[in-house]
Amino acid sequence: MSKRSLISITDLTKEEILRIAELAAYFEEHPYEPLLQGRVIASLFFEPSTRTRLSFESAMNRLGARVIGFSDATNTSVSKGETFHDTIQVISNYCDMIVMRHSLEGAPRYASEFSKVPIVNAGDGANQHPSQTLLDIYSIKKTQGRLDNINIMMVGDLKYGRTVHSLLQALSHFNPTFTFVSPEELQMPREYTMFLDQLGISYTVKREIDEAINEADIVYMTRVQKERYSDPMEYERMKNVYVLKNSMLENVKPTMKILHPLPRVGEIEQEVDANPHAYYFNQTENGVYTRMAIISYLLGVKK
Amino acid sequence: MTANDKYMEVRAIENGTVIDHIPADALFKIIRIMGLDQDSEHRMTFGANLESKRLGCKAIIKINDRYLEPAEINKIALIAPTAVVNTIRNFEVVEKHAVELPQEVRGFVKCANPACITNHQPVETGFSVMEEDGKILLRCRYCEKITSRFEIK
Ligand SMILES: [Zn+2]
């Protein structure tokens, strides 16, 4: 078996991103494919995340692999003071791959430096969450029929939202046009706009959702968390500016889809759920196929 | 040549290292990270607030009978990118070169991100080195965050 880890979206080339999206489409057609019969995959959630863990474990099971691991680190040797290094060193002897989530940023990259088996990062603090980005990419490809020349509006917390940063990097291979809608306090960090400037990718910065939404192929909503605001009054004033309502969707492109990494806490009105542009729940289903694609690609059972 | 430079030259060393063109505010950092404050074995001279055409105000360090390892020169490069290291043998400068920014540094810089694994587990730090507008930026190889005002361990 090949040994390839996936820690950060920038570990993948454009061709590999496209290949994983193709494989996700394949697994959507073939959702039970026992390519990993007899293999063992460890699912190590040092930090709990039920949604991501179940999506990964569903993908592992659909591929026929056996799953071992833990869903939070409280009752493990980790809580008895064993170093992270030793935990990974030991568990990498038991399995063919480790999928891990950790609250400490950089833990998966560090693990990939000495683990005998590939590491898949299922989220490390505010840093990276590449399977989320790849499922966003697959959702865009599936709903738009292409990845090239996508017009995407990103709304909400663009400063701390790691999903928007990774998606921005992944889409940068495909000549996108961005509209960033956020309060000034939570705007897209300069290192990302500099990155776009260097690549000659165009973007517009806005403070509210306006008619630019009518040009968008994708509207990517994110959560605006109260604790991100230094001033709670400012939060109360701003929170409604970034809420998506049906009335904003009257003149959008017929093919436009709304994505959200979920869970949401009110930034999309409930009434929008029944709108044909809403796609955020289908997006979670795509997550399972995308994770089947990631695991089988990294283990080399599907090239 | 200013009077100060002349004064420094009077105290030329026979064998050892002269680190010149250190920005004045970097002198004490270099003394600390090179462990010169702990070194009682080698005789050394520090010159501060010397006039410099390039830097306005510079510092200089002379160390007798001690030569620098490449890793030490990398540390100096991060703190004092303008520094010049002279190797002296028998009162002659036998080697003189400007420090060069390394592409990667391992070990001696602390990551500024409190949530970084290197600040919680016994992990050697590592950074790729970038320069923007004359400012040195370090990107952590683990948490990927950029450290600009860095602390040297
Ligand atoms: Zn770090």
Side-chain angles (χ1 to χ4, degrees):
Chain A
M1 274 193 176
S2 67
K3 179 185 178 296
R4 174 85 196 272
S5 292
L6 175 60
I7 309 302
S8 157
I9 193 68
T10 51
D11 295 348
L12 298 175
T13 63
K14 176 183 180 177
E15 289 66 36
E16 288 177 310
I17 291 172
L18 281 167
R19 182 62 190 140
I20 288 170
E22 267 172 33
L23 286 175
Y26 171 86
F27 285 117
E28 182 155 9
E29 293 297 311
H30 306 86
Y32 306 97
E33 186 115 334
L35 296 167
L36 296 175
Q37 198 97 57
R39 302 287 176 184
V40 176
I41 301 182
S43 164
L44 309 184
F45 279 63
F46 293 89
E47 175 193 53
S49 168
T50 309
R51 201 183 292 271
T52 304
R53 182 173 61 84
L54 294 182
S55 175
F56 262 112
E57 292 183 3
S58 171
M60 295 166 191
N61 279 291
R62 284 164 184 250
L63 288 166
R66 295 280 181 158
V67 183
I68 58 172
F70 48 83
S71 55
D72 89 70
T74 337
N75 293 315
T76 65
S77 51
V78 182
S79 62
K80 298 184 194 111
E82 183 181 59
T83 63
F84 174 74
H85 178 276
D86 290 3
T87 306
I88 296 302
Q89 187 89 295
V90 169
I91 296 176
S92 71
N93 291 318
Y94 301 162
C95 58
D96 300 294
M97 170 180 266
I98 293 173
V99 173
M100 77 156 75
R101 189 181 187 98
H102 207 295
S103 59
L104 292 178
E105 297 168 14
R109 175 76 66 197
Y110 174 56
S112 73
E113 291 180 344
F114 60 84
S115 164
K116 287 185 203 162
V117 298
I119 304 287
V120 179
N121 182 5
D124 59 329
N127 187 31
Q128 291 280 338
H129 191 10
S131 65
Q132 174 70 48
T133 307
L134 289 165
L135 85 84
D136 292 341
I137 287 283
Y138 176 51
S139 299
I140 294 170
K141 175 117 193 293
K142 189 171 144 187
T143 58
Q144 308 300 316
R146 63 180 210 281
L147 286 172
D148 290 311
N149 310 314
I150 294 291
N151 184 313
I152 179 167
M153 176 182 266
M154 295 175 157
V155 183
D157 177 359
L158 306 185
K159 183 174 180 186
Y160 299 101
R162 66 177 173 191
T163 55
V164 294
H165 302 156
S166 301
L167 184 57
L168 177 150
Q169 291 177 64
L171 279 175
S172 70
H173 296 294
F174 303 98
N175 190 40
T177 304
F178 290 101
T179 307
F180 300 133
V181 184
S182 74
E184 194 173 356
E185 292 199 54
L186 297 178
Q187 72 185 1
M188 187 59 77
R190 210 177 93 74
E191 62 229 62
Y192 293 101
T193 53
M194 273 171 58
F195 170 77
L196 296 179
D197 289 337
Q198 276 170 14
L199 295 176
I201 293 172
S202 64
Y203 59 90
T204 321
V205 175
K206 296 193 180 271
R207 294 283 168 253
E208 57 190 283
I209 303 170
D210 61 10
E211 65 284 351
I213 198 171
N214 300 331
E215 304 301 314
D217 297 306
I218 294 289
V219 173
Y220 197 96
M221 300 295 298
T222 64
R223 221 166 344 148
V224 178
Q225 287 161 291
K226 198 172 185 168
E227 56 270 26
R228 298 299 189 200
Y229 278 87
S230 41
D231 177 0
M233 300 272 286
E234 181 72 3
Y235 171 76
E236 290 305 322
R237 201 171 67 77
M238 297 308 286
K239 70 175 182 190
N240 288 318
V241 178
Y242 303 99
V243 174
L244 198 62
K245 303 174 187 71
N246 271 339
S247 57
M248 297 168 167
L249 302 171
E250 280 160 11
N251 298 308
V252 298
K253 284 191 186 178
T255 50
M256 188 278 272
K257 294 294 176 200
I258 304 159
L259 303 186
H260 189 301
L262 300 183
R264 68 171 157 178
V265 284
E267 53 282 334
I268 303 175
E269 289 277 358
Q270 211 105 50
E271 61 176 27
V272 179
D273 295 0
N275 193 303
H277 297 288
Y279 194 73
Y280 30 94
F281 291 115
N282 311 65
Q283 197 183 346
T284 59
E285 185 195 344
N286 293 338
V288 176
Y289 309 129
T290 306
R291 289 176 174 119
M292 291 172 81
I294 292 168
I295 293 167
S296 52
Y297 181 78
L298 295 175
L299 287 175
V301 293
K302 273 270 178 212
K303 293 243 184 258
Chain B
M1 195 176 277
T2 67
N4 268 328
D5 285 344
K6 272 204 182 105
Y7 171 75
M8 289 298 289
E9 212 169 63
V10 171
R11 313 212 358 214
I13 58 177
E14 186 174 350
N15 291 297
T17 304
V18 175
I19 310 165
D20 199 0
H21 300 288
I22 301 168
D25 58 354
L27 173 66
F28 295 101
K29 275 193 203 160
I30 293 184
I31 291 173
R32 188 169 56 79
I33 60 136
M34 290 185 62
L36 299 179
D37 50 346
Q38 311 292 328
D39 182 347
S40 51
E41 199 183 317
H42 302 101
R43 203 163 54 82
M44 53 193 93
T45 318
F46 308 132
N49 301 324
L50 306 173
E51 266 176 54
S52 160
K53 280 202 187 80
R54 273 204 295 164
L55 299 169
C57 194
K58 70 165 186 177
I60 189 166
I61 297 175
K62 300 184 175 196
I63 315 166
N64 285 56
D65 302 316
R66 182 170 156 186
Y67 301 96
L68 301 186
E69 301 291 332
E72 291 178 300
I73 297 178
N74 281 350
K75 285 190 193 183
I76 295 170
L78 284 185
I79 301 164
T82 52
V84 174
V85 176
N86 301 276
T87 305
I88 316 286
R89 289 186 204 277
N90 207 6
F91 297 106
E92 296 282 329
V93 177
V94 294
E95 233 182 282
K96 179 189 186 102
H97 48 84
V99 295
E100 248 176 77
L101 270 186
Q103 290 197 311
E104 211 192 18
V105 292
R106 295 230 62 158
F108 54 85
V109 181
K110 192 177 171 318
C111 180
N113 173 12
C116 180
I117 182 146
T118 60
N119 289 317
H120 298 265
Q121 292 275 326
V123 180
E124 187 187 46
T125 62
F127 300 86
S128 53
V129 181
M130 299 175 293
E131 225 185 318
E132 196 194 279
D133 305 330
K135 215 170 165 254
I136 297 168
L137 302 175
L138 303 178
R139 183 190 290 275
C140 177
R141 64 183 280 134
Y142 298 109
C143 73
E144 306 182 18
K145 295 281 177 302
I146 293 173
T147 293
S148 54
R149 294 179 57 87
F150 41 85
E151 248 180 75
I152 307 268
K153 276 185 192 165

